[in-house]
Amino acid sequence: MLTKRTVRLAGIIPECVVNGPGGISFTIFAQGCNHKCEGCHNPETHDFNSGKSYTLSELIKEVEKYPLSNVVTFTGGDPFFQAGSFKYLADYLKSDYKLVGYTGYYFEELLQIEDDDKIEFLKQLDLLIDGPFVKDNKDIGLKFRGSTNQRVIYVKESLREKSPVLAKEFMW
């Protein structure tokens, strides 16, 4: 089941320190996004028909080629538009990696969406950088975020509290 599932990607960066907190990240750029944030720095990732398709087993092999990466970051596009496949990948990787996700949804919106795949994918993550990029709130001095409305959230604590628990040490 895991090996035949596919994801559509805009690309990967195997060893990166700017796409999410926590260490050296294997960054996965999902292809496809409907948020269409004005001023998005990755507009080439919006088209759901562009990019390249990978099976999850191919992607796992790529991740495992880079032993310095201790974090896997899901960004895009928006990986929550492919949550049905990414939840399986995240479940496979979670025992060996810290998992970070970016989304244009706010945490509270994800909880309101009646989509089990999105909730199951969310549950696999350690940290979530949430919220759309808002051009009027752009701040190039922020770490791991592009606009001041976006938050870095501890996912498990936030799910337990049913309210966002900020990872304040990463929100600078």
Side-chain angles (χ1 to χ4, degrees):
M1 181 91 166
L2 180 65
T3 59
K4 293 182 180 178
R5 287 193 166 268
T6 62
V7 289
R8 193 145 197 91
L9 303 183
I12 55 175
I13 297 176
E15 294 174 336
C16 180
V17 293
V18 297
N19 288 309
I24 299 173
S25 173
F26 186 97
T27 303
I28 298 168
F29 292 87
Q31 184 69 48
C33 180
N34 278 337
H35 297 295
K36 311 287 187 211
C37 301
E38 183 182 353
C40 173
H41 73 284
N42 285 335
E44 68 280 1
T45 66
H46 294 176
D47 182 354
F48 286 90
N49 297 312
S50 193
K52 180 181 174 188
S53 185
Y54 287 80
T55 66
L56 296 185
S57 62
E58 288 173 323
L59 197 49
I60 288 167
K61 286 179 186 171
E62 285 299 313
V63 171
E64 292 174 344
K65 286 181 184 175
Y66 298 92
L68 293 179
S69 294
N70 61 334
V71 176
V72 174
T73 298
F74 299 89
T75 187
D78 190 325
F80 280 87
F81 287 108
Q82 297 184 65
S85 289
F86 279 130
K87 71 179 183 183
Y88 289 103
L89 181 62
D91 185 54
Y92 182 86
L93 296 171
K94 72 180 181 184
S95 62
D96 295 323
Y97 299 91
K98 180 181 285 187
L99 302 179
V100 176
Y102 281 80
T103 184
Y105 294 106
Y106 285 109
F107 174 81
E108 296 88 337
E109 291 176 305
L110 285 172
L111 297 182
Q112 297 298 317
I113 297 171
E114 293 184 14
D115 183 332
D116 292 342
D117 289 336
K118 285 181 174 53
I119 296 299
E120 291 305 313
F121 178 48
L122 177 65
K123 287 179 178 177
Q124 303 297 330
L125 300 175
D126 296 296
L127 292 168
L128 179 73
I129 293 88
D130 78 338
F133 173 75
V134 176
K135 188 177 176 182
D136 290 342
N137 295 344
K138 179 180 177 180
D139 183 340
I140 60 170
L142 297 172
K143 200 83 162 160
F144 311 117
R145 309 174 282 147
S147 58
T148 57
N149 61 297
Q150 295 172 313
R151 306 172 296 188
V152 183
I153 295 170
Y154 288 115
V155 174
K156 288 162 185 55
E157 293 83 347
S158 298
L159 289 170
R160 191 173 44 248
E161 299 292 324
K162 297 185 171 103
S163 178
V165 175
L166 299 180
K168 294 177 183 173
E169 68 272 31
F170 299 122
M171 292 193 59
W172 44 280

